[in-house]
Amino acid sequence: MIQSVAETGQDSGDKREMADRIARATQTPQEAAKVATDKQKGTVTSINLDDNDNKTPIWSVDVVTKDWNKTDFEIDAVKGTITREEVDHD
């Protein structure tokens, strides 16, 4: 189950930017989660829609494994490909 939570304190510019990201994202959060868990088996603990440095919309997906390692994936929200992967062993 995916839940959506609105950020507090957003001004109208922030809301317009988010609406633009959503409009450009052709991959759903569920599809992004599947791409991440196909690469790293585990539990998805967070999914956020943002832009990367090139202003491309990306899904940031956190996957936690059974041994509590967390992998943060950035997944292109248009193409559905992994653009960055970082493992946190803490």
Side-chain angles (χ1 to χ4, degrees):
M1 175 175 72
I2 294 181
Q3 295 178 341
S4 175
V5 179
E7 288 186 31
T8 58
Q10 287 187 326
D11 63 20
S12 61
D14 292 335
K15 290 177 182 178
R16 276 192 305 274
E17 285 179 18
M18 180 54 75
D20 180 56
R21 281 186 205 120
I22 291 168
R24 291 183 292 135
T26 59
Q27 299 293 307
T28 66
Q30 293 87 346
E31 290 168 325
K34 182 174 181 341
V35 168
T37 55
D38 283 351
K39 176 76 177 185
Q40 176 62 61
K41 301 298 181 214
T43 301
V44 174
T45 59
S46 174
I47 300 177
N48 294 300
L49 184 60
D50 207 346
D51 284 335
N52 65 12
D53 293 338
N54 298 325
K55 300 298 180 194
T56 300
I58 54 114
W59 289 108
S60 177
V61 181
D62 292 342
V63 177
V64 176
T65 61
K66 289 182 182 181
D67 58 358
W68 295 103
N69 287 324
K70 180 178 85 170
T71 304
D72 178 38
F73 292 96
E74 284 186 3
I75 298 169
D76 186 307
V78 176
K79 298 176 184 174
T81 56
I82 296 171
T83 60
R84 189 180 69 78
E85 177 180 346
E86 183 177 321
V87 178
D88 182 4
H89 296 285
D90 292 339

